[in-house]
C-alpha cells in the first residue's frame, strides 16, 4: 500500500472525529454569522482652521496648539454626562432602560472611534465614527457629537480669553491702587522733609556758605566797634579830650545819608532843581533822614556816663551798633544751625526717598506692562467672541448609512468553516501521532527490527463489508444531523452563540 493510500485510509478511519469537529465549528460559525446584528457606521471629519486675522496684526490670547485642542475636545466629549444624555436621547442600546449607567457609558465609548492626525506643516484633522444598530441612530449620535464639539470649542476658547482678560483687569486695578499708595507715601515723605530733600542740597550749601561769610563779617564788625570804643576811652583817659565823631562811628544810614548829600551837592552843579535825578536824590535823602532820626530816638541811654557829652554820644552810638550786630549775629547763627541740621539730614532722607522712588518705579513698570497686556487680552477676547480665532470646522458632515457596515457574514461563515476543517484535520493528525499500534510491515521493521517473510491482509466477507458500510453510513448520518441540531439547541436554549463569541472576543480583546 502506497503512502497516499495508507494516509487516506487513516483519514477515512478517523473521518467521524474530523466530521464532528468540522461540523461543530462550521455550523457555529454559520449561526453566528446569521445571528450577529447588523451594525451601521456613520463618519464625520473635522479640521482645525487657522485664525481669520493674521497673528502679526492681532493675536488671540488662546494659544493652545491644534493637536492639544483636539485632544481636550475628545476628552471632554467622552465624559459621562454627555454620553448619557446623548444615549438617552437616541436610545442607542436596544435594552437601554434595563442597562445601568456604567453599561451605557461603556457601550457608547466602545461604539465611538476617534482618530486625530496632526504633524509639522500638516492640517490637524479629527475623524469620528459611531456604530449603531440603525443608520439614523448612528447619524443622530454623530450630529449630537458635532453640536457638543462646536459648543465645547467655542466655550473653551471664550472662557480662556475671558479669564485672561479678567485676570489682567484685576492685575491693573491692583497695581493702580499700589501705585497710588506709593505716590502718596512719597508725597507725604517730601512734605514731612521739605527742607531736607536732596534736590535743594546745593542751594542750601550755597546758603550755608553765605551765612558763614555774613557771620564772620558780623564778628569782625563787632570786634572793630569794641576796639574803637576801647580806643576812645583810652584817649579820653589819657588826654581828657574827645576827638570829633569819626565817620566810621556813624550808622550805615548816617553814612549813606552823608554820601547822598555829597552826591546831591555835586549834581546841583550840573543839573537844575527840576531834574529827575535831583528829585530822586532829594527823595532818598528825606527818607534816610527819617531813618536816622528814628535811630537817634531809639538809641539807648549811655550806661557809662563819662561826664563828657560828646564822648557819651559817641559811646552810645557804638554800643547801639554793637547791640544791633549781636542781634544780627544771633539770627544768622540760628539760621546757620537750622540749615546745617537739614544738610546733615539730607543723606538719610536721600536714601529713604531713593528706596521709595525705586519701589514706585518698579510698580510703575509692572503697571505699564500690565496695561499693555490688558490691551492684548482685550483684543484677544474680541477675536474669540466674534469667532475670528482658531476654530474647529466640519469638512464632512455625518450621513445616514443605507447599508450595514458590519458584520461580514460571508467572511465569518467561510472563515469558520475553513477553521473547522483545519481543526478537524489537526485532531486526526494528533490522534495518529498518539496511536502507537502496528498496522503496516514498515511498523514491524521500525518497532521490532525484524523483516517479515510475507504479510497477509485481512479479507472481510461480503456480509462484513455490507455491515461495516451500514454502520459507517449510520454514524455519518447521525453526525450530520446530530451535530447541527446540538449546536442549534445550545444557541436556542442555553446561550446565543453570538453572545458567546462576543464574550470570547472581549476576553481576547479582539474586534472585527
Amino acid at each position: 500500500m502506497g503512502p497516499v493510500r495508507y494516509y487516506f485510509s487513516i483519514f477515512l478511519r478517523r473521518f467521524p472525529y474530523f466530521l464532528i469537529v468540522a461540523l461543530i465549528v462550521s455550523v457555529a460559525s454559520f449561526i453566528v454569522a446569521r445571528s450577529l446584528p447588523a451594525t451601521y457606521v456613520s463618519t464625520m471629519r473635522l479640521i482645525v482652521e487657522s485664525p481669520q486675522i493674521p497673528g502679526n496684526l492681532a493675536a488671540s490670547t488662546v494659544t493652545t496648539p491644534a493637536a492639544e485642542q483636539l485632544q481636550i475636545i475628545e476628552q471632554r466629549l467622552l465624559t459621562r454626562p454627555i454620553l448619557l444624555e446623548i444615549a438617552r436621547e437616541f436610545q442607542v442600546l436596544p435594552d437601554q432602560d434595563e442597562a445601568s449607567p456604567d453599561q451605557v457609558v461603556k457601550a457608547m465609548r466602545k461604539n465611538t472611534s476617534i482618530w486625530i492626525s496632526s504633524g509639522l506643516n500638516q492640517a490637524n484633522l479629527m475623524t469620528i465614527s459611531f456604530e449603531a444598530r440603525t443608520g439614523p441612530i448612528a447619524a443622530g449620535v454623530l450630529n449630537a457629537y458635532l453640536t457638543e464639539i462646536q459648543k465645547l470649542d467655542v466655550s473653551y476658547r471664550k472662557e480662556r480669553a475671558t479669564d485672561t482678560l479678567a485676570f489682567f483687569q484685576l492685575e491693573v486695578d491692583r497695581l493702580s491702587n499700589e501705585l497710588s499708595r506709593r505716590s502718596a507715601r512719597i508725597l507725604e515723605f517730601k512734605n514731612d522733609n521739605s527742607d531736607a530733600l536732596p534736590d535743594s542740597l546745593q542751594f542750601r550749601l550755597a546758603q550755608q556758605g553765605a551765612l558763614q561769610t555774613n557771620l564772620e563779617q558780623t564778628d569782625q564788625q563787632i570786634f572793630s566797634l569794641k576796639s574803637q570804643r576801647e580806643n576812645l576811652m583810652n584817649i579820653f583817659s589819657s588826654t581828657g579830650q574827645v576827638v570829633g565823631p569819626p565817620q566810621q562811628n556813624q550808622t550805615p544810614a548816617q553814612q549813606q545819608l552823608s554820601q547822598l548829600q555829597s552826591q546831591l551837592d555835586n549834581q546841583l552843579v550840573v543839573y537844575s532843581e527840576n531834574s529827575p535825578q535831583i528829585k530822586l536824590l532829594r527823595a532818598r535823602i528825606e527818607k534816610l533822614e527819617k531813618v536816622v532820626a528814628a535811630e537817634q530816638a531809639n538809641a539807648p541811654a549811655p550806661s557809662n556816663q563819662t561826664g563828657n557829652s560828646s564822648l557819651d554820644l559817641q559811646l552810645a552810638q557804638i554800643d547801639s551798633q554793637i547791640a544791633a550786630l549781636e542781634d544780627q549775629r544771633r539770627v544768622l547763627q540760628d539760621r546757620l544751625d537750622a540749615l546745617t541740621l537739614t544738610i546733615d539730614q539730607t543723606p538719610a532722607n536721600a536714601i529713604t526717598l531713593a528706596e521709595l522712588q525705586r519701589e514706585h518705579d518698579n510698580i510703575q513698570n509692572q503697571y505699564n506692562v500690565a496695561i499693555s497686556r490688558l490691551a492684548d487680552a482685550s483684543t484677544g477676547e474680541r477675536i474669540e467672541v466674534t469667532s475670528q480665532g482658531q476654530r474647529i470646522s466640519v469638512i464632512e458632515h455625518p450621513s445616514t448609512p443605507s447599508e450595514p457596515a458590519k458584520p461580514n457574514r460571508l467572511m465569518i461563515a467561510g472563515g469558520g468553516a475553513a477553521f473547522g476543517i483545519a481543526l478537524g484535520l489537526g485532531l486526526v493528525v494528533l490522534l495518529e501521532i498518539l496511536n502507537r499500534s502496528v498496522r503496516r510491515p514498515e511498523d514491524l521493521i521500525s518497532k521490532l527490527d525484524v523483516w517479515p517473510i510475507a504479510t497477509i491482509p485481512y479479507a472481510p466477507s461480503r456480509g462484513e463489508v455490507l455491515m461495516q458500510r451500514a454502520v459507517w453510513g449510520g454514524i455519518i448520518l447521525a453526525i450530520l444531523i446530530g451535530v447541527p441540531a446540538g449546536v442549534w439547541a445550545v444557541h436556542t436554549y442555553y446561550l446565543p452563540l453570538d453572545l458567546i463569541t462576543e464574550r470570547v472576543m472581549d476576553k481576547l480583546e479582539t474586534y472585527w
Side-chain angles (χ1 to χ4, degrees), residues 13-221:
R13 186 178 302 167
R14 305 293 185 185
F15 183 72
Y17 303 104
F18 165 78
L19 190 59
I20 291 173
V21 173
L23 274 179
I24 290 176
V25 176
S26 299
V27 172
S29 301
F30 179 76
I31 294 175
V32 169
R34 291 279 299 175
S35 59
L36 281 177
T39 302
Y40 293 82
V41 179
S42 182
T43 304
M44 68 176 176
R45 299 180 68 194
L46 309 174
I47 188 172
V48 180
E49 291 186 352
S50 301
Q52 304 298 316
I53 301 175
N56 55 353
L57 297 180
S60 172
T61 54
V62 183
T63 57
T64 306
E68 182 181 348
Q69 183 180 357
L70 292 177
Q71 292 176 354
I72 293 173
I73 293 297
E74 176 185 358
Q75 296 304 318
R76 290 191 174 188
L77 177 65
L78 297 180
T79 54
R80 184 184 180 93
I82 294 177
L83 294 180
L84 286 177
E85 182 179 355
I86 295 176
R88 189 180 304 111
E89 179 181 358
F90 293 96
Q91 291 294 314
V92 176
L93 301 181
D95 51 352
Q96 186 167 321
D97 295 336
E98 300 176 358
S100 65
D102 291 338
Q103 293 175 335
V104 174
V105 172
K106 183 178 179 181
M108 290 291 290
R109 289 175 179 169
K110 177 184 175 184
N111 295 338
T112 303
S113 300
I114 299 178
W115 296 275
I116 297 175
S117 62
S118 61
L120 184 62
N121 298 327
Q122 294 181 1
N124 295 275
L125 301 173
M126 171 184 276
T127 303
I128 304 177
S129 63
F130 187 79
E131 302 176 2
R133 52 193 170 89
T134 63
I137 292 178
V141 171
L142 273 191
N143 280 312
Y145 279 176
L146 177 58
T147 303
E148 289 294 332
I149 288 173
Q150 292 178 336
K151 185 168 65 177
L152 289 172
D153 180 50
V154 172
S155 63
Y156 168 76
R157 298 189 67 84
K158 285 185 178 178
E159 286 177 1
R160 293 287 297 270
T162 304
D163 291 345
T164 303
L165 178 62
F167 170 78
F168 281 109
Q169 185 63 58
L170 292 176
E171 187 68 8
V172 167
D173 294 341
R174 184 186 68 81
L175 292 174
S176 177
N177 295 332
E178 184 68 19
L179 200 59
S180 300
R181 192 176 68 81
R182 301 279 180 176
S183 299
R185 178 71 182 92
I186 292 175
L187 180 60
E188 180 183 3
F189 181 81
K190 286 185 175 180
N191 291 333
D192 294 341
N193 303 275
S194 58
D195 54 349
L197 296 177
D199 296 341
S200 60
L201 178 61
Q202 295 299 327
F203 175 73
R204 284 180 284 118
L205 288 174
Q207 280 189 327
Q208 186 186 36
L211 289 175
Q212 289 175 347
T213 302
N214 292 335
L215 189 60
E216 291 175 356
Q217 292 176 353
T218 303
D219 290 340
Q220 291 177 359
Q221 291 177 359

Side-chain angles (χ1 to χ4, degrees), residues 351-364:
I351 294 174
T352 304
L353 185 61
E355 183 179 356
L356 293 175
Q357 190 65 41
R358 184 168 57 253
E359 294 175 354
H360 178 274
D361 293 342
N362 291 335
I363 298 297
Q364 182 68 52

Side-chain angles (χ1 to χ4, degrees), residues 392-423:
I392 297 177
S393 301
V394 185
I395 57 177
E396 182 179 348
H397 286 272
S399 59
T400 303
S402 58
E403 295 181 356
K406 294 189 298 183
N408 190 342
R409 302 183 192 280
L410 181 61
M411 187 191 71
I412 295 174
F419 179 71
I421 292 173
L423 196 62

